[in-house]
Amino acid sequence: MTTPFPFTAVVGQDDLRLALLLNAVSPAVGGVLVRGEKGTAKSTAVRALSALLPAVAVVPGCRFSCDPASPDPQCPDGPHEAGGGTERAARMVELPVGASEDRLVGALDIERALAEGVKAFEPGLLADAHRGILYVDEVNLLHDHLVDLLLDAAAMGASYVEREGVSVRHAAKFLLVGTMNPEEGELRPQLLDRFGLTVEVAASREPDQRVEVVRRRLAYDDDPAGFAAKWAREEAAVRQRIVAARELLPQVRLGDAALRQIAATCAAFEVDGMRADIVMARTATALAAWAGRTDVLAEDVRQAALLALPHRRRRNPFDAPGLDEDKLDETLEQYSGDDGDGGDDEPDPDGPGGGGQPAPDSGPQGDGGEAARPEAGEGGQPQASGAGEQSAARATEPFRTKVLSVPGIGEGAAGRRSRARTEHGRTTGARRPQGTLTKLHLAATVQAAAPHQRARGRSGPGLVVRRDDLRQATREGREGNLVLFVVDASGSMAARQRMSAVKGAVLSLLLDAYQRRDKVGLVTFRGTSAEVALPPTSSVDAAAARLETLPTGGRTPLATGLLKAHEVLRVERLRDPARRPLVVVVTDGRATGGPEPVALAGRAARLFAAEQVASVVVDCESGPVRLGLAGQLAGELGGTAVTLDELRADSIAGLVKGIQGRRAA
């Protein structure tokens, strides 16, 4: 078994360590979401926490970790008699992003259930994580159907598995810890709200601290067991402190003044619902217990707000996460009380500032966090100014878009956009299962088994079912698509209101893509080259940063822009061959620079037509004399042209839907 990196040996990252320790003291806080870029050692800190959790008592032989003091009366392995049990270490169960539904919730043996009426159940990861930690790395990339199952289990404290009338239920109460890189896409609001606390992690910019990170990591890699032994005393001290804080927790008093501050803070930051108030109250109580106090102070409420509210406050998706600390301090001061719960006491040195954790210089090794915005450069617009270059135009306000869809039926990743054959949705037919049976088509299974009952010696009312009779249900649902914008940023497009409208449409579609689980990309061309200004992504924050600095000016290398877009689609097809693309070219159709620029653009466009890529050209040509070049380009692409006025009136998403509908007809 691999020796984990010691929790107390982690350098810096006080907020991350504190949030994890508060959940260890009070699991009712509701878990932690850790946001930060790759290389910030988010996983290292989470995995190290499991070694600090106190052991749990379980019923011997129970696969569902029932507590011997109060066993689950509906446990599939029960019933259990209350009494003595055995102790084992608390588990940390990791949920892979690509896990199947059966792996998460468990699986029923459908063949035995139909033929013998036996509930033969194989527990999943939710059962393993009961009374422990369920860790999801890259939680923002988790498939929607798994997110739904996690939401149900987190809300009810139990997992239900139902297949054609046969059901199994077991307890599933766990500490949910997730890590994510915001540049790879945001998290669904429903799951985001289920995390009690959130922490933004970033690497230290202090050279001495970075040196210590490298020194400890190298020492651990050379001798994990020896390195862990050096930190054993610190680990034991933190483990004992967690136990002491758990014992003190029921005695902590949450006074009326602290409750008023909590309620006023949640109201001031306009959080939805009451979960934020409850999480703040539990967090402030845990902070007091961790500091060894029985009274909740104002600094506990303040620290609780900084951990529990950033991901819940109402904000535009383009806004950076976080809280206005001046506004927070004003609210706490306005509602401070004098019953001992106010902020007049001296802050406890072991309190929320550093969490009273040992080794003040300890924290996960890593690099920068969310605060580091993507810089223009690699995959972005060049920043060097050139002749005729205009300053970047601001995007118009984003608007609600209509549904964009690609014609036909795909087989891409589950989403909410175009029709597709998926594991979830309405049943459209049946087929023989390929591999593990996941969705039984009962009628087709019975129909396949019925003709063979006499030959199989059936003598009673039960149906004799064999594996060859089982039929998998085929379902139709929705998939996510790749919408790739190819935007002309040359001098002929430099009218500020024109580029503002284009940027506003792209941002609007990105917001819609965030809700519908699409990918959106942006290729721009001007001067002598084309750039991938926005690689295919679902991150609205990254998109806003890239689009905000998009300048215009120079010649119009239309062929280069189309070839760059074709290359983006080629790479994405290798990464995700099932995701269908839609190309939206925003241009006036003019091509300048180099020999025969118009003919080159036509040949590049025919590459898309040959591969039957759905496309539309938004004609941005203006003025009394119109050359109709955008319409010609649309013909070469095998798509349709629409005017900029139509784009502004109906939104680009609505236009694409109508265009593709006409093409399908």
Side-chain angles (χ1 to χ4, degrees):
M1 182 177 178
T2 304
T3 303
F5 192 91
F7 187 85
T8 51
V10 184
V11 180
Q13 307 289 20
D14 290 343
D15 287 343
L16 171 58
R17 290 187 303 158
L18 178 58
L20 292 172
L21 288 169
L22 292 177
N23 275 274
V25 171
S26 176
V29 167
V32 186
L33 174 65
V34 187
R35 295 164 52 96
E37 291 184 347
K38 56 185 178 296
T40 49
K42 304 180 292 291
S43 301
T44 299
V46 174
R47 293 188 175 100
L49 175 68
S50 60
L52 298 179
L53 297 181
V56 294
V58 296
V59 173
C62 178
R63 297 174 297 166
F64 301 89
S65 302
C66 280
D67 186 349
S70 57
D72 181 5
Q74 300 182 53
C75 175
D77 284 355
H80 305 300
E81 294 184 1
T86 60
E87 283 195 348
R88 63 161 174 78
R91 290 175 179 163
M92 192 199 75
V93 177
E94 189 163 350
L95 171 61
V97 170
S100 66
E101 179 179 332
D102 285 348
R103 184 72 186 97
L104 177 62
V105 300
L108 288 171
D109 188 330
I110 301 297
E111 184 177 0
R112 290 188 64 193
L114 287 176
E116 305 174 26
V118 176
K119 294 182 181 180
F121 181 70
E122 183 65 29
L125 295 178
L126 290 180
D128 293 341
H130 180 47
R131 304 176 66 201
I133 300 174
L134 180 62
Y135 172 50
V136 189
D137 194 14
E138 305 295 347
V139 64
N140 52 323
L141 304 182
L142 202 62
H143 290 301
D144 276 1
H145 67 284
L146 297 182
V147 170
D148 292 336
L149 293 169
L150 276 181
L151 289 175
D152 290 342
M156 298 183 293
S159 175
Y160 293 84
V161 183
E162 299 194 13
R163 299 285 167 83
E164 305 299 341
V166 181
S167 64
V168 172
R169 175 249 177 231
H170 65 83
K173 297 180 181 179
F174 47 82
L175 173 60
L176 182 61
V177 180
T179 57
M180 61 175 283
N181 180 354
E183 288 190 351
E184 296 175 347
E186 289 293 339
L187 197 60
R188 279 177 56 183
Q190 296 94 326
L191 184 56
L192 188 63
D193 189 51
R194 290 294 178 185
F195 287 97
L197 309 179
T198 186
V199 176
E200 299 283 336
V201 296
S204 171
R205 298 296 185 253
E206 294 293 330
D208 290 344
Q209 197 170 73
R210 296 175 73 94
V211 167
E212 186 62 22
V213 168
V214 176
R215 181 179 291 119
R216 294 186 186 181
R217 185 70 215 189
L218 292 178
Y220 171 76
D221 290 341
D222 289 341
D223 183 9
F227 184 81
K230 293 180 181 179
W231 291 88
R233 180 177 299 177
E234 288 80 359
E235 293 282 284
V238 173
R239 192 178 298 110
Q240 292 171 5
R241 188 172 178 184
I242 291 174
V243 173
R246 283 188 174 187
E247 294 174 352
L248 182 63
L249 188 65
Q251 305 173 36
V252 175
R253 185 176 68 93
L254 183 64
D256 290 342
L259 281 172
R260 283 195 300 270
Q261 287 180 320
I262 290 171
T265 301
C266 292
F269 286 98
E270 299 182 329
V271 298
D272 295 326
M274 294 297 298
R275 183 174 284 115
D277 303 63
I278 297 170
V279 171
M280 271 191 67
R282 289 171 173 166
T283 304
T285 303
L287 280 162
W290 178 248
R293 290 185 271 101
T294 57
D295 285 323
V296 174
L297 305 181
E299 58 262 28
D300 297 328
V301 176
R302 186 181 192 279
Q303 183 66 43
L306 293 174
L307 293 173
L309 296 188
H311 61 304
R312 290 189 171 91
R313 70 178 179 87
R314 189 173 298 173
R315 65 183 178 95
N316 188 293
F318 304 134
D319 294 340
L323 291 182
D324 183 339
E325 295 195 29
D326 291 337
K327 180 179 179 180
L328 174 59
D329 291 335
E330 290 174 5
T331 303
L332 294 176
E333 178 65 26
Q334 180 180 354
Y335 288 89
S336 63
D338 56 1
D339 62 350
D341 296 334
D344 296 332
D345 299 297
E346 289 297 323
D348 191 299
D350 290 335
Q357 300 165 49
D361 63 335
S362 38
Q365 59 275 22
D367 314 295
E370 164 90 348
R373 285 280 188 180
E375 296 290 342
E378 181 182 353
Q381 279 293 339
Q383 294 302 302
S385 27
E389 180 174 307
Q390 305 291 325
S391 60
R394 295 184 63 86
T396 57
E397 286 295 320
F399 48 82
R400 184 177 180 84
T401 65
K402 299 177 182 178
V403 178
L404 180 156
S405 61
V406 175
I409 300 179
E411 296 181 347
R416 300 180 179 180
R417 183 68 63 185
S418 303
R419 295 173 59 197
R421 286 180 286 271
T422 64
E423 287 294 318
H424 301 269
R426 64 185 183 89
T427 300
T428 58
R431 60 174 174 80
R432 291 182 180 273
Q434 299 172 352
T436 303
L437 178 70
T438 55
K439 298 291 183 181
L440 178 73
H441 194 297
L442 182 59
T445 299
V446 172
Q447 186 176 5
H452 308 291
Q453 296 304 295
R454 180 174 297 177
R456 293 174 182 173
R458 173 182 170 182
S459 58
L463 188 68
V464 181
V465 179
R466 294 180 180 173
R467 180 160 296 277
D468 289 343
D469 301 327
L470 300 179
R471 295 294 182 268
Q472 173 83 25
T474 57
R475 298 172 180 261
E476 182 179 307
R478 295 282 171 176
E479 68 176 1
N481 298 114
L482 168 61
V483 182
L484 182 63
F485 285 84
V486 186
V487 179
D488 185 348
S490 64
S492 64
M493 295 283 291
R496 296 188 66 81
Q497 67 270 24
R498 190 179 304 165
M499 286 307 300
S500 294
V502 170
K503 288 185 178 182
V506 175
L507 291 177
S508 301
L509 261 182
L510 191 69
L511 274 173
D512 191 57
Y514 164 63
Q515 297 170 347
R516 299 183 184 278
R517 316 304 285 176
D518 286 319
K519 281 187 174 181
V520 174
L522 173 63
V523 172
T524 64
F525 56 94
R526 66 186 183 95
T528 60
S529 63
E531 302 288 344
V532 181
L534 175 66
T537 181
S538 298
S539 172
V540 293
D541 292 335
R546 299 292 177 93
L547 291 170
E548 184 179 355
T549 57
L550 176 63
T552 58
R555 295 189 174 184
T556 313
L558 178 57
T560 304
L562 293 174
L563 290 175
K564 177 65 74 173
H566 187 268
E567 175 65 15
V568 171
L569 293 185
R570 185 189 69 81
V571 173
E572 283 299 306
R573 195 175 294 117
L574 294 174
R575 292 175 177 171
D576 189 357
R579 189 180 292 271
R580 296 185 294 164
L582 173 66
V583 176
V584 180
V585 185
V586 185
T587 182
D588 56 12
R590 298 180 183 181
T592 60
E596 301 183 346
V598 176
L600 284 175
R603 287 200 289 271
R606 286 192 287 274
L607 292 175
F608 293 88
E611 296 174 1
Q612 297 184 330
V613 176
S615 60
V616 58
V617 177
V618 179
D619 185 357
C620 299
E621 190 175 26
S622 59
V625 179
R626 296 176 180 267
L627 303 178
L629 297 176
Q632 297 178 25
L633 176 63
E636 299 282 4
L637 285 166
T640 309
V642 296
T643 67
L644 186 60
D645 290 337
E646 290 173 313
L647 164 65
R648 295 283 299 167
D650 302 320
S651 88
I652 202 164
L655 288 172
V656 173
K657 178 185 178 183
I659 291 163
Q660 297 307 319
R662 292 196 294 272
R663 286 187 61 204

